[in-house]
Amino acid sequence: MAKGEIRRSKLGRLLTSLSAAGLIVAVALGAGTARAETPSKPLSANDVSILFPPPKAPADLVNLIAISDLAGPTGAPQRLLSDEDFSRFIANAENPERHGVPDSGTRRIQLPDIVKKIDAWFVAGIRIDPGAPGLSADVIAQFGRQPQIRLIIQPVTNGPEGFKVHDTAGHLIFSFNLEPDSPLDGCAPFPRFKPDDQAFKAIVRDVASLRDQLAAGKFGNVKVSTAGDMNVHPGLIGASAKPFRDAVKALLEKHLSPQRLNTMAVMGISPPEPWVFVSMLRVPQARLIPVPGPTLDGLHAAQMFSIVGHTHVVPRPVTNNQNPTTCRHAALQNPPLPLANRKGVSTADFIDAKVANSRVLEIVNVIADTKKSHFFNTDCVSCHTETAQPLARKVQGFAVSGVNRAVLPKEDWNVRNFGWFPSFLHGGPAAATITRRAAAETADVVSFINSQLLNK
């Protein structure tokens, strides 16, 4: 071979090598561009509402995500849930009412010491939502739209009582907002949320990528489809469970930060019951505070659901889910929306009174309707009992679509919407639970993401 040809051959090989290296770098750094050029298939319910299987033994914990193991963004020194925020979460759960507020009759949550340690808490579910408090046009007009990732967390311990999933749950709500719009008249201090859709689209892309990798057998060398009715996430069962769990944890740590954690909620018991619900909000200069119930009297933050006694729901809510949607309510607004101006239904209407099954059906249909009912006009107990109660009563005409029958609540005291329910009446392992309300919210999310955010 002539010297010129040798030089040209070496040069060709060098250029080929450099091109290959450049291509590899381009693929690694520009994966988002590649994804944009290949449209993602529509997401399904299980892609945006991820339910972990309830653990039955200590060995199962390896497939769960411990809250204490969730770090902030890469390089951040703190955990996603700081010691200070966790301490406030526990304190608010046990003492939700402000000093001087009259006793409502609601019992207090009593957490065992073993549950007051952050190491005890695990992620039971993940809800990816482009628009709280709702995605209907009327709700957005009044409240704006707040994209969120919500972590449903529950304590699991292995102590003197043996291995135990506790009948306690919390929500950690991470929001994705720009500078908000001013509140509508009479609705301060709540502004109208303005969504950070660019940040949220990145989450949607990563969720779609995980779905595609799961379907291609990238996790555990088994191909898994997420299509179909809501259920325990199919990728979190079998050979794919641990590697898929690791990928989900990485997604959370990529997109979440302590600064996005602005809202929390807790449901706990005064053993063995009742169940007590409390919501919390981060307020400047005041840290995380319990929030008065939007459908209560503007004073009380806790609401109770009890088996015993003649009155099962305390305080009795005054809902507003049968009036036109408004941002006026009873939480931190001065003055709160007057009781006389509210019109609505709650499950207390039939839990605390003898009501025909036809009326029960009318009530729960309103509560499950995401265009009519949301956090600010419907009480916590209603949203957490609208499926279990009519199922237990065998109400004719009551049906739940989009949820696998295996995860529907099996007893009327199951107050989980999306999580694990350990029955103190019947014992046995904790039951994975998904309700009609959770399915309706998820259907809205899937429709909105697929039409407004995916591939945009």
Side-chain angles (χ1 to χ4, degrees), residues 22 43 167 181 290 321 404:
L43 296 178
D167 195 1
D181 292 323
N321 45 32
N404 189 291

Side-chain angles (χ1 to χ4, degrees), residues 127-427:
R127 302 282 301 275
I128 295 168
D129 184 354
L135 287 164
S136 71
D138 288 342
V139 172
I140 291 174
Q142 291 290 315
F143 294 93
R145 179 166 64 84
Q146 184 180 65
Q148 299 177 342
I149 291 182
R150 297 194 294 276
L151 304 184
I152 296 89
I153 62 173
Q154 292 189 229
V156 183
T157 59
N158 190 26
E161 298 181 12
F163 186 77
K164 183 176 182 179
V165 175
H166 292 258
D167 195 1
T168 300
H171 281 198
L172 305 181
I173 302 173
F174 298 82
S175 57
F176 295 80
N177 292 102
L178 302 173
E179 192 68 26
D181 292 323
S182 299
L184 299 179
D185 288 345
C187 297
F190 294 91
R192 284 176 293 167
F193 303 119
K194 185 178 292 184
D196 185 350
D197 279 338
Q198 287 307 113
F200 205 73
K201 285 177 186 177
I203 296 169
V204 170
R205 287 194 296 269
D206 285 351
V207 168
S209 176
L210 281 188
R211 184 269 319 272
D212 294 342
Q213 293 176 61
L214 194 60
K218 300 296 184 182
F219 302 112
N221 295 315
V222 56
K223 295 182 179 181
V224 178
S225 170
T226 58
D229 289 342
M230 293 179 71
N231 202 342
V232 170
H233 195 283
L236 292 168
I237 299 171
S240 61
K242 181 59 168 64
F244 185 67
R245 169 263 184 210
D246 293 344
V248 171
K249 179 176 181 286
L251 183 148
L252 296 176
E253 293 178 334
K254 175 181 177 181
H255 294 287
L256 302 184
S257 67
Q259 292 73 32
R260 293 192 182 278
L261 179 58
N262 293 314
T263 315
M264 297 185 188
V266 65
M267 188 290 306
I269 60 173
S270 180
E273 65 95 39
W275 296 268
V276 181
F277 297 82
V278 179
S279 296
M280 311 172 202
L281 178 69
R282 193 185 301 278
V283 176
Q285 286 81 48
R287 299 179 296 176
L288 282 161
I289 64 167
V291 177
T295 61
L296 303 182
D297 56 7
L299 297 175
H300 292 97
Q303 189 185 28
M304 178 180 81
F305 175 51
S306 177
I307 291 177
V308 300
H310 297 292
T311 302
H312 299 289
V313 182
V314 179
R316 179 70 178 263
V318 183
T319 57
N320 198 36
N321 45 32
Q322 291 185 304
N323 269 331
T325 301
T326 173
C327 57
R328 295 279 290 120
H329 49 80
L332 303 179
Q333 293 182 348
N334 189 18
L337 180 65
L339 300 181
N341 292 359
R342 306 182 208 173
K343 178 184 178 183
V345 296
S346 69
T347 57
D349 296 342
F350 64 81
I351 292 173
D352 285 336
K354 193 167 184 178
V355 172
N357 278 352
S358 59
R359 179 58 178 159
V360 172
L361 187 61
E362 291 173 1
I363 291 169
V364 296
N365 283 346
V366 170
I367 294 167
D369 188 338
T370 57
K371 293 182 175 61
K372 296 178 181 178
S373 300
H374 52 78
F375 171 77
F376 291 104
N377 69 9
T378 303
D379 63 300
C380 293
V381 169
S382 288
C383 282
H384 284 262
T385 55
E386 59 78 31
T387 298
Q389 289 287 318
L391 282 177
R393 293 164 185 256
K394 296 181 170 55
V395 172
Q396 188 174 5
F398 181 78
V400 181
S401 61
V403 179
N404 189 291
R405 291 178 61 85
V407 293
L408 289 175
K410 302 299 188 298
E411 63 178 86
D412 48 358
W413 310 115
N414 183 344
V415 296
R416 292 295 180 278
N417 262 351
F418 193 78
W420 310 325
F421 176 68
S423 173
F424 78 91
L425 287 177
H426 303 294

